Amino acid sequence: MLRALAVDDERPSLEELLYLLNADPRIGSAEGAGDATEALRRINRALESGPDGPDAIDVVFLDIQMPGLDGLDLARLLTGFARPPLVVFVTAHEDFAVQAFDLKAVDYVLKPVRRERLAEAVRRASAQRGTTPQGPAPRIPVHEPDPDHIAVELGGVTRFVAVDDITHVEAQGDYARLHTDRGSHLVRIPLSTLEERWRSRGFVRIHRRHLVALRHIGELRLDAGTVSVLVGSEELQVSRRHARELRDMLMRRTTG
Protein backbone atom coordinates (compact mmCIF):
# COMPACT_ATOMS: atom_id res chain seq x y z
CA MET A 1 0.00 0.00 0.00
CA LEU A 2 1.21 3.49 -0.83
CA ARG A 3 2.50 5.90 1.80
CA ALA A 4 1.60 9.41 0.67
CA LEU A 5 2.56 12.99 1.48
CA ALA A 6 0.21 15.78 0.34
CA VAL A 7 1.68 19.29 0.00
CA ASP A 8 -0.49 22.42 -0.31
CA ASP A 9 -0.25 25.86 1.30
CA GLU A 10 -4.05 26.28 1.28
CA ARG A 11 -5.42 24.46 4.32
CA PRO A 12 -8.90 23.63 2.93
CA SER A 13 -7.38 22.17 -0.25
CA LEU A 14 -4.89 20.14 1.79
CA GLU A 15 -7.59 18.75 4.07
CA GLU A 16 -9.80 17.82 1.12
CA LEU A 17 -6.90 16.08 -0.63
CA LEU A 18 -6.00 14.14 2.52
CA TYR A 19 -9.64 13.11 2.97
CA LEU A 20 -9.80 11.73 -0.57
CA LEU A 21 -6.44 9.96 -0.27
CA ASN A 22 -7.36 8.31 3.02
CA ALA A 23 -10.61 7.07 1.45
CA ASP A 24 -8.66 5.15 -1.22
CA PRO A 25 -7.86 1.55 -0.12
CA ARG A 26 -4.55 1.67 -2.00
CA ILE A 27 -3.27 4.41 0.31
CA GLY A 28 -1.84 2.96 3.49
CA SER A 29 -1.12 6.32 5.10
CA ALA A 30 -1.38 9.97 4.11
CA GLU A 31 -0.01 13.01 5.90
CA GLY A 32 0.13 16.67 4.97
CA ALA A 33 2.64 19.52 4.71
CA GLY A 34 1.74 23.19 4.42
CA ASP A 35 4.63 24.24 2.18
CA ALA A 36 7.48 22.81 0.12
CA THR A 37 10.13 23.51 2.78
CA GLU A 38 8.23 21.48 5.37
CA ALA A 39 7.71 18.76 2.75
CA LEU A 40 11.42 18.67 1.95
CA ARG A 41 12.26 18.14 5.62
CA ARG A 42 9.71 15.33 5.78
CA ILE A 43 11.08 13.71 2.60
CA ASN A 44 14.65 13.91 3.91
CA ARG A 45 13.51 12.08 7.04
CA ALA A 46 11.82 9.47 4.83
CA LEU A 47 14.97 8.92 2.80
CA GLU A 48 17.04 8.55 5.95
CA SER A 49 14.52 5.98 7.16
CA GLY A 50 14.95 3.91 3.99
CA PRO A 51 12.30 2.43 1.66
CA ASP A 52 11.09 0.00 4.32
CA GLY A 53 11.47 2.32 7.30
CA PRO A 54 8.64 3.72 9.42
CA ASP A 55 8.96 7.20 7.89
CA ALA A 56 9.11 6.11 4.23
CA ILE A 57 7.12 7.98 1.55
CA ASP A 58 6.18 6.41 -1.77
CA VAL A 59 4.42 9.29 -3.50
CA VAL A 60 4.07 13.06 -3.04
CA PHE A 61 0.87 14.83 -4.16
CA LEU A 62 2.24 18.27 -4.81
CA ASP A 63 0.69 21.69 -5.42
CA ILE A 64 2.68 23.94 -7.78
CA GLN A 65 2.09 27.58 -6.87
CA MET A 66 3.16 28.07 -3.24
CA PRO A 67 5.03 30.91 -1.54
CA GLY A 68 8.78 30.50 -1.32
CA LEU A 69 9.89 27.17 -2.75
CA ASP A 70 7.19 26.13 -5.23
CA GLY A 71 6.16 22.64 -6.32
CA LEU A 72 8.29 22.59 -9.46
CA ASP A 73 11.33 23.67 -7.44
CA LEU A 74 10.74 20.83 -4.99
CA ALA A 75 10.30 18.31 -7.79
CA ARG A 76 13.59 19.46 -9.36
CA LEU A 77 15.35 18.94 -6.05
CA LEU A 78 13.91 15.43 -5.77
CA THR A 79 15.39 14.44 -9.16
CA GLY A 80 18.82 14.71 -7.54
CA PHE A 81 17.99 12.11 -4.88
CA ALA A 82 19.05 8.49 -5.34
CA ARG A 83 15.61 7.05 -4.54
CA PRO A 84 13.08 9.90 -4.63
CA PRO A 85 9.35 9.37 -4.08
CA LEU A 86 7.01 9.52 -7.04
CA VAL A 87 5.40 12.90 -7.74
CA VAL A 88 1.79 13.66 -8.69
CA PHE A 89 1.10 17.35 -9.28
CA VAL A 90 -2.25 18.66 -8.02
CA THR A 91 -2.84 22.21 -9.22
CA ALA A 92 -5.44 24.71 -10.41
CA HIS A 93 -3.24 25.66 -13.39
CA GLU A 94 -2.87 23.61 -16.56
CA ASP A 95 0.02 25.71 -17.92
CA PHE A 96 2.78 23.77 -16.16
CA ALA A 97 2.01 20.28 -17.53
CA VAL A 98 4.97 20.15 -19.92
CA GLN A 99 7.43 21.15 -17.18
CA ALA A 100 5.81 18.65 -14.82
CA PHE A 101 6.27 15.71 -17.16
CA ASP A 102 9.81 16.81 -17.99
CA LEU A 103 10.38 16.21 -14.28
CA LYS A 104 9.00 12.65 -14.65
CA ALA A 105 5.74 13.32 -12.82
CA VAL A 106 3.41 10.33 -12.63
CA ASP A 107 0.31 12.44 -13.22
CA TYR A 108 -1.05 16.00 -13.37
CA VAL A 109 -4.41 16.50 -11.65
CA LEU A 110 -6.38 19.72 -11.98
CA LYS A 111 -8.26 21.33 -9.09
CA PRO A 112 -10.92 21.14 -7.86
CA VAL A 113 -9.97 17.49 -7.42
CA ARG A 114 -12.58 14.91 -8.35
CA ARG A 115 -12.54 11.57 -6.53
CA GLU A 116 -12.47 9.57 -9.79
CA ARG A 117 -9.60 11.60 -11.23
CA LEU A 118 -7.52 11.28 -8.08
CA ALA A 119 -8.21 7.54 -8.02
CA GLU A 120 -6.68 7.31 -11.51
CA ALA A 121 -3.57 9.15 -10.29
CA VAL A 122 -3.28 6.73 -7.36
CA ARG A 123 -3.64 3.81 -9.77
CA ARG A 124 -0.78 5.13 -11.90
CA ALA A 125 1.43 5.68 -8.87
CA SER A 126 0.58 2.22 -7.55
CA ALA A 127 1.42 0.62 -10.90
CA GLN A 128 4.72 2.48 -11.19
CA ARG A 129 5.73 1.66 -7.63
CA GLY A 130 4.76 -1.98 -8.20
CA THR A 131 2.40 -2.20 -5.27
CA THR A 132 -0.62 -4.47 -5.11
CA PRO A 133 -3.94 -2.99 -4.00
CA GLN A 134 -5.24 -4.33 -0.71
CA GLY A 135 -8.96 -4.61 -1.28
CA PRO A 136 -11.07 -3.32 -4.15
CA ALA A 137 -10.07 -0.14 -5.94
CA PRO A 138 -12.63 2.64 -6.29
CA ARG A 139 -14.94 1.99 -9.21
CA ILE A 140 -14.57 4.43 -12.07
CA PRO A 141 -17.30 4.41 -14.70
CA VAL A 142 -16.05 3.41 -18.14
CA HIS A 143 -17.80 4.67 -21.25
CA GLU A 144 -17.30 3.87 -24.88
CA PRO A 145 -15.60 6.82 -26.59
CA ASP A 146 -17.87 9.13 -28.55
CA PRO A 147 -16.35 9.37 -32.06
CA ASP A 148 -17.71 12.91 -32.53
CA HIS A 149 -16.48 14.39 -29.25
CA ILE A 150 -13.52 14.22 -26.89
CA ALA A 151 -13.72 14.73 -23.13
CA VAL A 152 -11.50 17.43 -21.63
CA GLU A 153 -11.06 18.60 -18.04
CA LEU A 154 -11.30 22.26 -17.17
CA GLY A 155 -11.22 23.31 -13.53
CA GLY A 156 -12.52 19.95 -12.34
CA VAL A 157 -15.39 19.96 -14.85
CA THR A 158 -15.50 17.51 -17.76
CA ARG A 159 -16.54 19.08 -21.04
CA PHE A 160 -17.00 17.53 -24.45
CA VAL A 161 -15.32 19.19 -27.41
CA ALA A 162 -16.58 18.42 -30.91
CA VAL A 163 -13.86 16.84 -33.04
CA ASP A 164 -15.00 18.92 -36.01
CA ASP A 165 -14.17 22.09 -34.03
CA ILE A 166 -10.54 21.06 -33.52
CA THR A 167 -8.21 22.85 -35.96
CA HIS A 168 -4.96 21.19 -34.94
CA VAL A 169 -3.31 19.21 -32.16
CA GLU A 170 0.07 19.89 -30.58
CA ALA A 171 2.17 17.31 -28.74
CA GLN A 172 3.20 18.41 -25.23
CA GLY A 173 5.07 15.63 -23.48
CA ASP A 174 2.66 12.87 -22.45
CA TYR A 175 -0.22 15.23 -23.24
CA ALA A 176 -1.72 16.69 -26.39
CA ARG A 177 -3.11 20.22 -26.67
CA LEU A 178 -6.28 20.49 -28.73
CA HIS A 179 -6.68 23.85 -30.50
CA THR A 180 -10.06 25.27 -31.50
CA ASP A 181 -11.17 28.73 -32.62
CA ARG A 182 -12.31 29.40 -29.06
CA GLY A 183 -9.22 28.25 -27.17
CA SER A 184 -7.21 25.15 -26.33
CA HIS A 185 -7.51 22.14 -24.04
CA LEU A 186 -4.97 19.70 -22.61
CA VAL A 187 -5.69 15.95 -22.69
CA ARG A 188 -3.55 13.04 -21.56
CA ILE A 189 -3.54 11.19 -24.89
CA PRO A 190 -0.42 10.72 -27.05
CA LEU A 191 -0.44 12.49 -30.40
CA SER A 192 0.12 9.14 -32.16
CA THR A 193 -3.12 7.79 -30.64
CA LEU A 194 -5.13 10.78 -31.86
CA GLU A 195 -3.51 10.48 -35.29
CA GLU A 196 -4.70 6.90 -35.61
CA ARG A 197 -8.13 7.63 -34.14
CA TRP A 198 -8.84 10.68 -36.33
CA ARG A 199 -7.15 9.75 -39.60
CA SER A 200 -10.51 8.87 -41.16
CA ARG A 201 -11.88 12.25 -40.05
CA GLY A 202 -9.35 14.19 -42.16
CA PHE A 203 -6.55 14.74 -39.67
CA VAL A 204 -3.01 14.44 -41.02
CA ARG A 205 0.40 14.53 -39.37
CA ILE A 206 2.49 17.44 -40.69
CA HIS A 207 5.26 17.37 -38.11
CA ARG A 208 6.36 15.22 -35.19
CA ARG A 209 4.63 17.77 -32.95
CA HIS A 210 1.55 18.65 -35.01
CA LEU A 211 -1.59 16.99 -36.28
CA VAL A 212 -3.84 19.18 -38.47
CA ALA A 213 -7.43 18.93 -39.70
CA LEU A 214 -7.32 19.29 -43.50
CA ARG A 215 -10.62 21.19 -43.57
CA HIS A 216 -9.12 23.93 -41.39
CA ILE A 217 -6.05 24.55 -43.57
CA GLY A 218 -6.49 27.96 -45.21
CA GLU A 219 -3.20 28.17 -47.12
CA LEU A 220 -0.25 26.02 -48.14
CA ARG A 221 2.89 28.15 -48.28
CA LEU A 222 6.19 27.42 -50.03
CA ASP A 223 9.14 29.65 -49.20
CA ALA A 224 12.78 28.90 -50.06
CA GLY A 225 12.28 25.18 -49.85
CA THR A 226 10.29 25.23 -46.61
CA VAL A 227 6.61 24.32 -46.42
CA SER A 228 4.07 25.65 -43.94
CA VAL A 229 0.29 25.78 -43.58
CA LEU A 230 -1.97 28.51 -42.31
CA VAL A 231 -4.54 27.24 -39.80
CA GLY A 232 -6.72 30.12 -38.70
CA SER A 233 -4.20 32.85 -37.85
CA GLU A 234 -1.44 30.40 -36.94
CA GLU A 235 1.31 29.32 -39.32
CA LEU A 236 2.63 25.79 -38.73
CA GLN A 237 5.76 24.29 -40.21
CA VAL A 238 5.49 21.11 -42.27
CA SER A 239 8.41 18.71 -41.94
CA ARG A 240 10.13 17.57 -45.12
CA ARG A 241 9.03 13.95 -44.69
CA HIS A 242 5.35 14.96 -44.51
CA ALA A 243 5.31 17.69 -47.17
CA ARG A 244 4.66 15.55 -50.26
CA GLU A 245 1.88 13.54 -48.63
CA LEU A 246 0.19 16.72 -47.41
CA ARG A 247 0.32 18.37 -50.86
CA ASP A 248 -1.17 15.25 -52.44
CA MET A 249 -3.97 15.09 -49.90
CA LEU A 250 -4.83 18.76 -50.34
CA MET A 251 -4.87 18.36 -54.13
CA ARG A 252 -7.18 15.35 -53.92
CA ARG A 253 -9.41 17.27 -51.54
CA THR A 254 -9.77 20.25 -53.90
CA THR A 255 -10.23 18.19 -57.09
CA GLY A 256 -12.28 15.34 -55.64
Side-chain angles (χ1 to χ4, degrees):
M1 298 175 73
L2 293 172
R3 297 155 295 186
L5 175 66
V7 188
D8 199 312
D9 65 304
E10 296 180 355
R11 192 69 193 176
S13 295
L14 180 60
E15 291 177 352
E16 175 67 11
L17 182 55
L18 287 171
Y19 172 78
L20 293 174
L21 288 172
N22 282 310
D24 192 307
R26 294 165 296 191
I27 299 293
S29 64
E31 58 181 292
D35 57 50
T37 302
E38 179 187 350
L40 188 58
R41 287 196 295 266
R42 177 63 185 85
I43 293 167
N44 275 318
R45 191 164 76 245
L47 294 174
E48 291 172 0
S49 174
D52 299 317
D55 294 322
I57 295 172
D58 297 307
V59 56
V60 180
F61 292 83
L62 182 59
D63 190 19
I64 288 183
Q65 291 196 330
M66 295 182 287
L69 193 70
D70 68 21
L72 291 172
D73 293 331
L74 177 57
R76 289 189 190 97
L77 288 173
L78 292 182
T79 61
F81 287 51
R83 296 191 57 165
L86 301 174
V87 172
V88 173
F89 284 102
V90 183
T91 176
H93 306 278
E94 69 169 29
D95 302 335
F96 302 103
V98 174
Q99 297 174 64
F101 286 106
D102 283 344
L103 293 169
K104 311 301 180 186
V106 173
D107 207 345
Y108 192 90
V109 179
L110 290 176
K111 295 178 181 179
V113 179
R114 293 183 296 112
R115 183 187 301 270
E116 295 84 359
R117 183 64 185 85
L118 185 64
E120 171 61 15
V122 172
R123 184 197 67 76
R124 290 173 178 165
S126 181
Q128 189 159 328
R129 185 58 78 186
T131 58
T132 303
Q134 304 295 314
R139 295 190 62 184
I140 302 174
V142 177
H143 305 284
E144 289 298 316
D146 178 354
D148 296 323
H149 296 82
I150 183 168
V152 301
E153 282 190 23
L154 184 61
V157 177
T158 300
R159 297 183 179 177
F160 296 90
V161 175
V163 175
D164 287 346
D165 290 341
I166 297 170
T167 59
H168 61 288
V169 186
E170 179 183 1
Q172 292 192 344
D174 289 348
Y175 275 63
R177 182 170 292 278
L178 313 176
H179 292 267
T180 72
D181 290 337
R182 292 181 294 277
S184 67
H185 307 277
L186 210 58
V187 294
R188 186 172 179 133
I189 304 176
L191 192 67
S192 57
T193 299
L194 293 178
E195 179 185 12
E196 181 178 348
R197 183 184 300 178
W198 291 343
R199 184 178 293 116
S200 62
R201 301 184 69 99
F203 283 81
V204 59
R205 191 73 163 260
I206 65 167
H207 190 275
R208 62 182 178 82
R209 293 191 58 221
H210 288 113
L211 186 67
V212 172
L214 288 174
R215 61 185 168 277
H216 287 290
I217 294 177
E219 294 180 11
L220 178 69
R221 297 178 174 179
L222 306 175
D223 182 22
T226 64
V227 181
S228 62
V229 291
L230 190 66
V231 181
S233 60
E234 191 167 355
E235 185 174 359
L236 303 175
Q237 291 297 122
V238 180
S239 67
R240 191 169 298 178
R241 62 176 294 205
H242 295 294
R244 181 185 295 275
E245 179 186 8
L246 176 63
R247 286 198 299 265
D248 291 345
M249 293 181 75
L250 288 172
M251 288 297 294
R252 289 197 300 270
R253 190 175 183 85
T254 56
T255 59

